Amino acid sequence: MLINITTLPGDGIGPEVTDQAVHVLQAVAEAFDHRLKITQKNIGGAALVANNDPLPSDTVQSCLASGAVLLGAVGGPAFDSYPSRLRPEAGLLRLRSELGVFANLRPAICLLGLESLSPLREEIVRGTDVMIARELLGGLYFGERSTKGDSGRRRAVDTMSYSEPEIERIARIGFQLARQRRKELTSVDKANVLDSSRLWREVVNRIGSEFKDVQLSHMYVDSAAMALVSRPTQFDVILTENMFGDILSDQAGAVVGSLGLLPSASIGGKVGLYEPIHGSAPDIAGKGIANPLGAILSAAMLLRHSFQLEAEAASVEMAVREVLADGHRTRDLAGKTDRPITTSEMGQTVAGRVRERVQAPAN
Ligand code: IPM
Ligand code: MG
């Protein structure tokens, strides 16, 4: 089939890791006999420099005309003083909303053998396998906001707002994910304080009655944050609103100790958007030491969710696990005794493994 995607390398380490994800997609296309068509466009700081707009309209058009979008990262210190509308992050938020991707899936898995990367004790983190389903187009990020008044007495307001249909559609995604996993869903809110959370809980309970095979529980976000570090293995799927999901997903990444390994998928809209969660990491950009596995695993999610290519997605994920099990490490994963490999060596190694696996499939 035709795998027609737009890549948005963006800023910082974005271009380096996206390159490697593209190599792996090329390996998948060859091994499984698909045709890969890639259009590269600007976003974020790269687009601000080139077009004075963090999300140029030809980028949006290309994304909407493709089967999926693979993004590297946006942002960097050079843009910190830009007005909010012209920040790289504004480009990403607008892209999410142009694509209509309301469901952000962020898996955080502690891979066997990588327990020591976690800042937590190995016995606490071992076996952690959480999927965060974060609402992506509502809440504080998209509510009304303003800053008013005279200097020294100004007041800034952000609004956390959710409608029933917005909660319903993300809840359904959460329950469906749980159904394909261990069938446990924890909905995270702050219903002891917030109206938006009380509505959230009510709607999630209602949708839950359609998924009787999934065990639903509710947790306040503060206690979820605590549970995520004290007993991370208790979670299967976490369903939560935009801001809580932003925070908890970084926390989950830190818990498994390998931010560089973690992918994400933003789905539910016209076209899916896939990106590693590590961000632009300007301090290590251009040095060839960034970990491309988050981007590569995002490409696997792209194959699965936007093209329904499950075997292809699984071949990438298996290749990554094997390469790690063989001891290949980028600098962020390397122990004192390992010799770290570069970004492109890691990409080539995974791509090579994808080709080998398909030529000689394990049974
Ligand atoms: C993320 C990032 C973004 C967010 C920023 C860059 C706007 O932190 O994808 O988690 O807050 O959603
Ligand atoms: Mg974040």
Side-chain angles (χ1 to χ4, degrees), residues 217-249:
S217 58
H218 300 276
M219 230 185 232
Y220 299 137
V221 62
D222 48 351
S223 96
M226 197 168 58
L228 197 54
V229 288
S230 46
R231 208 159 67 84
T233 51
Q234 81 181 80
F235 294 105
D236 179 14
V237 176
I238 293 179
L239 167 68
T240 193
E241 67 90 37
N242 204 345
M243 181 77 166
F244 298 160
D246 180 43
I247 298 168
L248 291 179
S249 61

PDB file of all heavy atoms in Angstrom, residues 217-249:
ATOM      1  N   SER A 217     -11.923   2.874  37.649  1.00  0.00           N
ATOM      2  CA  SER A 217     -11.776   3.511  38.954  1.00  0.00           C
ATOM      3  C   SER A 217     -11.455   4.986  38.734  1.00  0.00           C
ATOM      4  O   SER A 217     -11.076   5.388  37.633  1.00  0.00           O
ATOM      5  CB  SER A 217     -10.675   2.824  39.761  1.00  0.00           C
ATOM      6  OG  SER A 217      -9.473   2.875  39.040  1.00  0.00           O
ATOM      7  N   HIS A 218     -11.653   5.787  39.776  1.00  0.00           N
ATOM      8  CA  HIS A 218     -11.380   7.222  39.693  1.00  0.00           C
ATOM      9  C   HIS A 218     -10.316   7.578  40.711  1.00  0.00           C
ATOM     10  O   HIS A 218     -10.274   7.000  41.790  1.00  0.00           O
ATOM     11  CB  HIS A 218     -12.644   8.023  39.995  1.00  0.00           C
ATOM     12  CG  HIS A 218     -13.768   7.749  39.060  1.00  0.00           C
ATOM     13  ND1 HIS A 218     -13.899   8.362  37.836  1.00  0.00           N
ATOM     14  CD2 HIS A 218     -14.806   6.881  39.158  1.00  0.00           C
ATOM     15  CE1 HIS A 218     -14.989   7.915  37.231  1.00  0.00           C
ATOM     16  NE2 HIS A 218     -15.555   7.006  38.012  1.00  0.00           N
ATOM     17  N   MET A 219      -9.500   8.554  40.352  1.00  0.00           N
ATOM     18  CA  MET A 219      -8.473   9.002  41.292  1.00  0.00           C
ATOM     19  C   MET A 219      -8.321  10.510  41.155  1.00  0.00           C
ATOM     20  O   MET A 219      -8.393  11.041  40.044  1.00  0.00           O
ATOM     21  CB  MET A 219      -7.147   8.344  40.912  1.00  0.00           C
ATOM     22  CG  MET A 219      -6.432   7.688  42.048  1.00  0.00           C
ATOM     23  SD  MET A 219      -4.837   7.087  41.484  1.00  0.00           S
ATOM     24  CE  MET A 219      -4.963   5.436  42.056  1.00  0.00           C
ATOM     25  N   TYR A 220      -8.109  11.199  42.265  1.00  0.00           N
ATOM     26  CA  TYR A 220      -7.767  12.617  42.183  1.00  0.00           C
ATOM     27  C   TYR A 220      -6.341  12.749  41.662  1.00  0.00           C
ATOM     28  O   TYR A 220      -5.494  11.891  41.936  1.00  0.00           O
ATOM     29  CB  TYR A 220      -7.894  13.285  43.548  1.00  0.00           C
ATOM     30  CG  TYR A 220      -9.284  13.242  44.116  1.00  0.00           C
ATOM     31  CD1 TYR A 220      -9.490  12.949  45.456  1.00  0.00           C
ATOM     32  CD2 TYR A 220     -10.394  13.485  43.302  1.00  0.00           C
ATOM     33  CE1 TYR A 220     -10.766  12.905  45.990  1.00  0.00           C
ATOM     34  CE2 TYR A 220     -11.672  13.444  43.831  1.00  0.00           C
ATOM     35  CZ  TYR A 220     -11.859  13.150  45.169  1.00  0.00           C
ATOM     36  OH  TYR A 220     -13.116  13.101  45.688  1.00  0.00           O
ATOM     37  N   VAL A 221      -6.101  13.839  40.958  1.00  0.00           N
ATOM     38  CA  VAL A 221      -4.810  13.946  40.267  1.00  0.00           C
ATOM     39  C   VAL A 221      -3.644  13.980  41.244  1.00  0.00           C
ATOM     40  O   VAL A 221      -2.573  13.438  40.955  1.00  0.00           O
ATOM     41  CB  VAL A 221      -4.806  15.164  39.303  1.00  0.00           C
ATOM     42  CG1 VAL A 221      -4.984  16.486  40.035  1.00  0.00           C
ATOM     43  CG2 VAL A 221      -3.539  15.190  38.460  1.00  0.00           C
ATOM     44  N   ASP A 222      -3.828  14.582  42.416  1.00  0.00           N
ATOM     45  CA  ASP A 222      -2.704  14.614  43.366  1.00  0.00           C
ATOM     46  C   ASP A 222      -2.366  13.214  43.844  1.00  0.00           C
ATOM     47  O   ASP A 222      -1.204  12.824  43.925  1.00  0.00           O
ATOM     48  CB  ASP A 222      -2.984  15.576  44.539  1.00  0.00           C
ATOM     49  CG  ASP A 222      -4.360  15.380  45.168  1.00  0.00           C
ATOM     50  OD1 ASP A 222      -5.179  14.629  44.612  1.00  0.00           O
ATOM     51  OD2 ASP A 222      -4.613  15.986  46.236  1.00  0.00           O
ATOM     52  N   SER A 223      -3.407  12.421  44.111  1.00  0.00           N
ATOM     53  CA  SER A 223      -3.075  11.090  44.600  1.00  0.00           C
ATOM     54  C   SER A 223      -2.595  10.192  43.456  1.00  0.00           C
ATOM     55  O   SER A 223      -1.773   9.293  43.660  1.00  0.00           O
ATOM     56  CB  SER A 223      -4.224  10.525  45.433  1.00  0.00           C
ATOM     57  OG  SER A 223      -5.045   9.714  44.714  1.00  0.00           O
ATOM     58  N   ALA A 224      -3.050  10.471  42.227  1.00  0.00           N
ATOM     59  CA  ALA A 224      -2.521   9.724  41.075  1.00  0.00           C
ATOM     60  C   ALA A 224      -1.031  10.001  40.893  1.00  0.00           C
ATOM     61  O   ALA A 224      -0.238   9.102  40.586  1.00  0.00           O
ATOM     62  CB  ALA A 224      -3.282  10.087  39.803  1.00  0.00           C
ATOM     63  N   ALA A 225      -0.639  11.269  41.103  1.00  0.00           N
ATOM     64  CA  ALA A 225       0.780  11.622  40.963  1.00  0.00           C
ATOM     65  C   ALA A 225       1.613  10.845  41.975  1.00  0.00           C
ATOM     66  O   ALA A 225       2.708  10.360  41.677  1.00  0.00           O
ATOM     67  CB  ALA A 225       0.971  13.126  41.168  1.00  0.00           C
ATOM     68  N   MET A 226       1.045  10.698  43.171  1.00  0.00           N
ATOM     69  CA  MET A 226       1.746   9.976  44.222  1.00  0.00           C
ATOM     70  C   MET A 226       1.820   8.483  43.882  1.00  0.00           C
ATOM     71  O   MET A 226       2.888   7.860  43.964  1.00  0.00           O
ATOM     72  CB  MET A 226       0.975  10.178  45.528  1.00  0.00           C
ATOM     73  CG  MET A 226       1.739   9.856  46.755  1.00  0.00           C
ATOM     74  SD  MET A 226       0.843  10.459  48.205  1.00  0.00           S
ATOM     75  CE  MET A 226      -0.717   9.616  48.061  1.00  0.00           C
ATOM     76  N   ALA A 227       0.688   7.930  43.449  1.00  0.00           N
ATOM     77  CA  ALA A 227       0.649   6.497  43.145  1.00  0.00           C
ATOM     78  C   ALA A 227       1.574   6.152  41.977  1.00  0.00           C
ATOM     79  O   ALA A 227       2.165   5.074  41.935  1.00  0.00           O
ATOM     80  CB  ALA A 227      -0.785   6.073  42.827  1.00  0.00           C
ATOM     81  N   LEU A 228       1.698   7.085  41.046  1.00  0.00           N
ATOM     82  CA  LEU A 228       2.528   6.821  39.871  1.00  0.00           C
ATOM     83  C   LEU A 228       4.006   6.640  40.243  1.00  0.00           C
ATOM     84  O   LEU A 228       4.739   5.939  39.544  1.00  0.00           O
ATOM     85  CB  LEU A 228       2.357   7.978  38.881  1.00  0.00           C
ATOM     86  CG  LEU A 228       2.778   7.780  37.434  1.00  0.00           C
ATOM     87  CD1 LEU A 228       2.133   6.556  36.808  1.00  0.00           C
ATOM     88  CD2 LEU A 228       2.425   9.027  36.616  1.00  0.00           C
ATOM     89  N   VAL A 229       4.453   7.265  41.322  1.00  0.00           N
ATOM     90  CA  VAL A 229       5.843   7.019  41.738  1.00  0.00           C
ATOM     91  C   VAL A 229       5.956   5.955  42.819  1.00  0.00           C
ATOM     92  O   VAL A 229       7.014   5.353  42.969  1.00  0.00           O
ATOM     93  CB  VAL A 229       6.595   8.281  42.251  1.00  0.00           C
ATOM     94  CG1 VAL A 229       6.909   9.205  41.118  1.00  0.00           C
ATOM     95  CG2 VAL A 229       5.847   8.982  43.343  1.00  0.00           C
ATOM     96  N   SER A 230       4.875   5.737  43.577  1.00  0.00           N
ATOM     97  CA  SER A 230       5.039   4.747  44.655  1.00  0.00           C
ATOM     98  C   SER A 230       4.673   3.338  44.180  1.00  0.00           C
ATOM     99  O   SER A 230       5.280   2.362  44.622  1.00  0.00           O
ATOM    100  CB  SER A 230       4.248   5.135  45.897  1.00  0.00           C
ATOM    101  OG  SER A 230       2.955   5.527  45.548  1.00  0.00           O
ATOM    102  N   ARG A 231       3.694   3.243  43.264  1.00  0.00           N
ATOM    103  CA  ARG A 231       3.352   1.902  42.746  1.00  0.00           C
ATOM    104  C   ARG A 231       2.908   2.017  41.282  1.00  0.00           C
ATOM    105  O   ARG A 231       1.729   1.846  40.962  1.00  0.00           O
ATOM    106  CB  ARG A 231       2.246   1.281  43.611  1.00  0.00           C
ATOM    107  CG  ARG A 231       2.322  -0.247  43.614  1.00  0.00           C
ATOM    108  CD  ARG A 231       1.607  -0.862  44.798  1.00  0.00           C
ATOM    109  NE  ARG A 231       0.161  -0.675  44.775  1.00  0.00           N
ATOM    110  CZ  ARG A 231      -0.689  -1.462  44.114  1.00  0.00           C
ATOM    111  NH1 ARG A 231      -0.244  -2.471  43.395  1.00  0.00           N
ATOM    112  NH2 ARG A 231      -1.990  -1.235  44.163  1.00  0.00           N
ATOM    113  N   PRO A 232       3.846   2.315  40.383  1.00  0.00           N
ATOM    114  CA  PRO A 232       3.488   2.559  38.975  1.00  0.00           C
ATOM    115  C   PRO A 232       2.850   1.348  38.299  1.00  0.00           C
ATOM    116  O   PRO A 232       2.084   1.508  37.350  1.00  0.00           O
ATOM    117  CB  PRO A 232       4.823   2.932  38.317  1.00  0.00           C
ATOM    118  CG  PRO A 232       5.886   2.433  39.236  1.00  0.00           C
ATOM    119  CD  PRO A 232       5.296   2.470  40.612  1.00  0.00           C
ATOM    120  N   THR A 233       3.145   0.149  38.784  1.00  0.00           N
ATOM    121  CA  THR A 233       2.608  -1.053  38.123  1.00  0.00           C
ATOM    122  C   THR A 233       1.104  -1.199  38.333  1.00  0.00           C
ATOM    123  O   THR A 233       0.474  -2.020  37.683  1.00  0.00           O
ATOM    124  CB  THR A 233       3.288  -2.324  38.668  1.00  0.00           C
ATOM    125  OG1 THR A 233       3.212  -2.290  40.099  1.00  0.00           O
ATOM    126  CG2 THR A 233       4.737  -2.387  38.242  1.00  0.00           C
ATOM    127  N   GLN A 234       0.518  -0.397  39.231  1.00  0.00           N
ATOM    128  CA  GLN A 234      -0.913  -0.541  39.463  1.00  0.00           C
ATOM    129  C   GLN A 234      -1.740   0.018  38.308  1.00  0.00           C
ATOM    130  O   GLN A 234      -2.925  -0.250  38.210  1.00  0.00           O
ATOM    131  CB  GLN A 234      -1.324   0.142  40.779  1.00  0.00           C
ATOM    132  CG  GLN A 234      -1.504   1.645  40.657  1.00  0.00           C
ATOM    133  CD  GLN A 234      -1.894   2.276  41.995  1.00  0.00           C
ATOM    134  OE1 GLN A 234      -1.058   2.506  42.860  1.00  0.00           O
ATOM    135  NE2 GLN A 234      -3.170   2.531  42.171  1.00  0.00           N
ATOM    136  N   PHE A 235      -1.119   0.791  37.425  1.00  0.00           N
ATOM    137  CA  PHE A 235      -1.885   1.434  36.360  1.00  0.00           C
ATOM    138  C   PHE A 235      -1.840   0.650  35.056  1.00  0.00           C
ATOM    139  O   PHE A 235      -0.795   0.142  34.653  1.00  0.00           O
ATOM    140  CB  PHE A 235      -1.353   2.851  36.097  1.00  0.00           C
ATOM    141  CG  PHE A 235      -1.557   3.797  37.244  1.00  0.00           C
ATOM    142  CD1 PHE A 235      -0.504   4.162  38.065  1.00  0.00           C
ATOM    143  CD2 PHE A 235      -2.823   4.311  37.510  1.00  0.00           C
ATOM    144  CE1 PHE A 235      -0.701   5.034  39.124  1.00  0.00           C
ATOM    145  CE2 PHE A 235      -3.030   5.187  38.569  1.00  0.00           C
ATOM    146  CZ  PHE A 235      -1.959   5.547  39.383  1.00  0.00           C
ATOM    147  N   ASP A 236      -2.986   0.611  34.401  1.00  0.00           N
ATOM    148  CA  ASP A 236      -3.055   0.076  33.038  1.00  0.00           C
ATOM    149  C   ASP A 236      -3.280   1.268  32.103  1.00  0.00           C
ATOM    150  O   ASP A 236      -2.341   1.835  31.567  1.00  0.00           O
ATOM    151  CB  ASP A 236      -4.178  -0.963  32.966  1.00  0.00           C
ATOM    152  CG  ASP A 236      -4.331  -1.566  31.573  1.00  0.00           C
ATOM    153  OD1 ASP A 236      -3.415  -1.387  30.750  1.00  0.00           O
ATOM    154  OD2 ASP A 236      -5.362  -2.200  31.301  1.00  0.00           O
ATOM    155  N   VAL A 237      -4.534   1.725  31.972  1.00  0.00           N
ATOM    156  CA  VAL A 237      -4.787   2.930  31.187  1.00  0.00           C
ATOM    157  C   VAL A 237      -5.175   4.063  32.134  1.00  0.00           C
ATOM    158  O   VAL A 237      -6.005   3.880  33.023  1.00  0.00           O
ATOM    159  CB  VAL A 237      -5.927   2.711  30.162  1.00  0.00           C
ATOM    160  CG1 VAL A 237      -6.243   4.015  29.424  1.00  0.00           C
ATOM    161  CG2 VAL A 237      -5.537   1.627  29.169  1.00  0.00           C
ATOM    162  N   ILE A 238      -4.554   5.212  31.961  1.00  0.00           N
ATOM    163  CA  ILE A 238      -4.940   6.423  32.688  1.00  0.00           C
ATOM    164  C   ILE A 238      -5.652   7.344  31.705  1.00  0.00           C
ATOM    165  O   ILE A 238      -5.100   7.680  30.652  1.00  0.00           O
ATOM    166  CB  ILE A 238      -3.701   7.140  33.272  1.00  0.00           C
ATOM    167  CG1 ILE A 238      -3.057   6.291  34.371  1.00  0.00           C
ATOM    168  CG2 ILE A 238      -4.084   8.519  33.817  1.00  0.00           C
ATOM    169  CD1 ILE A 238      -1.794   6.916  34.983  1.00  0.00           C
ATOM    170  N   LEU A 239      -6.867   7.715  32.046  1.00  0.00           N
ATOM    171  CA  LEU A 239      -7.650   8.621  31.202  1.00  0.00           C
ATOM    172  C   LEU A 239      -7.725   9.963  31.907  1.00  0.00           C
ATOM    173  O   LEU A 239      -8.152  10.035  33.065  1.00  0.00           O
ATOM    174  CB  LEU A 239      -9.068   8.045  31.044  1.00  0.00           C
ATOM    175  CG  LEU A 239     -10.125   8.976  30.456  1.00  0.00           C
ATOM    176  CD1 LEU A 239      -9.841   9.269  28.996  1.00  0.00           C
ATOM    177  CD2 LEU A 239     -11.517   8.360  30.617  1.00  0.00           C
ATOM    178  N   THR A 240      -7.313  11.039  31.223  1.00  0.00           N
ATOM    179  CA  THR A 240      -7.339  12.314  31.926  1.00  0.00           C
ATOM    180  C   THR A 240      -7.395  13.516  30.982  1.00  0.00           C
ATOM    181  O   THR A 240      -7.211  13.380  29.779  1.00  0.00           O
ATOM    182  CB  THR A 240      -6.127  12.420  32.898  1.00  0.00           C
ATOM    183  OG1 THR A 240      -6.327  13.520  33.782  1.00  0.00           O
ATOM    184  CG2 THR A 240      -4.817  12.601  32.153  1.00  0.00           C
ATOM    185  N   GLU A 241      -7.674  14.671  31.579  1.00  0.00           N
ATOM    186  CA  GLU A 241      -7.826  15.879  30.764  1.00  0.00           C
ATOM    187  C   GLU A 241      -6.448  16.412  30.363  1.00  0.00           C
ATOM    188  O   GLU A 241      -5.421  15.927  30.820  1.00  0.00           O
ATOM    189  CB  GLU A 241      -8.679  16.915  31.515  1.00  0.00           C
ATOM    190  CG  GLU A 241      -8.060  17.490  32.763  1.00  0.00           C
ATOM    191  CD  GLU A 241      -7.248  18.738  32.474  1.00  0.00           C
ATOM    192  OE1 GLU A 241      -7.651  19.526  31.608  1.00  0.00           O
ATOM    193  OE2 GLU A 241      -6.197  18.915  33.111  1.00  0.00           O
ATOM    194  N   ASN A 242      -6.460  17.436  29.542  1.00  0.00           N
ATOM    195  CA  ASN A 242      -5.269  17.918  28.849  1.00  0.00           C
ATOM    196  C   ASN A 242      -4.093  18.250  29.783  1.00  0.00           C
ATOM    197  O   ASN A 242      -3.001  17.686  29.669  1.00  0.00           O
ATOM    198  CB  ASN A 242      -5.696  19.150  28.020  1.00  0.00           C
ATOM    199  CG  ASN A 242      -4.789  19.400  26.846  1.00  0.00           C
ATOM    200  OD1 ASN A 242      -3.703  18.862  26.773  1.00  0.00           O
ATOM    201  ND2 ASN A 242      -5.243  20.241  25.921  1.00  0.00           N
ATOM    202  N   MET A 243      -4.311  19.154  30.727  1.00  0.00           N
ATOM    203  CA  MET A 243      -3.214  19.630  31.580  1.00  0.00           C
ATOM    204  C   MET A 243      -2.711  18.543  32.527  1.00  0.00           C
ATOM    205  O   MET A 243      -1.504  18.354  32.695  1.00  0.00           O
ATOM    206  CB  MET A 243      -3.726  20.825  32.388  1.00  0.00           C
ATOM    207  CG  MET A 243      -2.698  21.427  33.283  1.00  0.00           C
ATOM    208  SD  MET A 243      -1.585  22.416  32.276  1.00  0.00           S
ATOM    209  CE  MET A 243      -0.768  23.307  33.547  1.00  0.00           C
ATOM    210  N   PHE A 244      -3.652  17.824  33.147  1.00  0.00           N
ATOM    211  CA  PHE A 244      -3.227  16.739  34.035  1.00  0.00           C
ATOM    212  C   PHE A 244      -2.424  15.710  33.229  1.00  0.00           C
ATOM    213  O   PHE A 244      -1.430  15.160  33.706  1.00  0.00           O
ATOM    214  CB  PHE A 244      -4.437  16.045  34.683  1.00  0.00           C
ATOM    215  CG  PHE A 244      -5.290  16.935  35.558  1.00  0.00           C
ATOM    216  CD1 PHE A 244      -6.605  16.582  35.859  1.00  0.00           C
ATOM    217  CD2 PHE A 244      -4.789  18.114  36.101  1.00  0.00           C
ATOM    218  CE1 PHE A 244      -7.405  17.380  36.669  1.00  0.00           C
ATOM    219  CE2 PHE A 244      -5.578  18.924  36.920  1.00  0.00           C
ATOM    220  CZ  PHE A 244      -6.894  18.549  37.198  1.00  0.00           C
ATOM    221  N   GLY A 245      -2.867  15.455  31.997  1.00  0.00           N
ATOM    222  CA  GLY A 245      -2.183  14.480  31.149  1.00  0.00           C
ATOM    223  C   GLY A 245      -0.798  14.960  30.741  1.00  0.00           C
ATOM    224  O   GLY A 245       0.138  14.166  30.622  1.00  0.00           O
ATOM    225  N   ASP A 246      -0.663  16.250  30.521  1.00  0.00           N
ATOM    226  CA  ASP A 246       0.648  16.813  30.185  1.00  0.00           C
ATOM    227  C   ASP A 246       1.623  16.518  31.317  1.00  0.00           C
ATOM    228  O   ASP A 246       2.736  16.042  31.101  1.00  0.00           O
ATOM    229  CB  ASP A 246       0.509  18.332  29.967  1.00  0.00           C
ATOM    230  CG  ASP A 246       1.836  18.977  29.625  1.00  0.00           C
ATOM    231  OD1 ASP A 246       2.580  18.400  28.806  1.00  0.00           O
ATOM    232  OD2 ASP A 246       2.139  20.053  30.177  1.00  0.00           O
ATOM    233  N   ILE A 247       1.170  16.782  32.533  1.00  0.00           N
ATOM    234  CA  ILE A 247       2.047  16.629  33.699  1.00  0.00           C
ATOM    235  C   ILE A 247       2.315  15.150  33.993  1.00  0.00           C
ATOM    236  O   ILE A 247       3.456  14.720  34.139  1.00  0.00           O
ATOM    237  CB  ILE A 247       1.412  17.329  34.920  1.00  0.00           C
ATOM    238  CG1 ILE A 247       1.277  18.835  34.630  1.00  0.00           C
ATOM    239  CG2 ILE A 247       2.244  17.079  36.170  1.00  0.00           C
ATOM    240  CD1 ILE A 247       0.427  19.602  35.620  1.00  0.00           C
ATOM    241  N   LEU A 248       1.243  14.369  34.060  1.00  0.00           N
ATOM    242  CA  LEU A 248       1.422  12.955  34.425  1.00  0.00           C
ATOM    243  C   LEU A 248       2.223  12.186  33.379  1.00  0.00           C
ATOM    244  O   LEU A 248       2.929  11.237  33.705  1.00  0.00           O
ATOM    245  CB  LEU A 248       0.064  12.277  34.640  1.00  0.00           C
ATOM    246  CG  LEU A 248      -0.719  12.739  35.883  1.00  0.00           C
ATOM    247  CD1 LEU A 248      -2.051  12.003  35.956  1.00  0.00           C
ATOM    248  CD2 LEU A 248       0.079  12.538  37.170  1.00  0.00           C
ATOM    249  N   SER A 249       2.116  12.591  32.098  1.00  0.00           N
ATOM    250  CA  SER A 249       2.854  11.827  31.089  1.00  0.00           C
ATOM    251  C   SER A 249       4.355  12.105  31.180  1.00  0.00           C
ATOM    252  O   SER A 249       5.160  11.205  30.949  1.00  0.00           O
ATOM    253  CB  SER A 249       2.306  12.065  29.683  1.00  0.00           C
ATOM    254  OG  SER A 249       2.410  13.414  29.314  1.00  0.00           O
TER     255      SER A 249
END
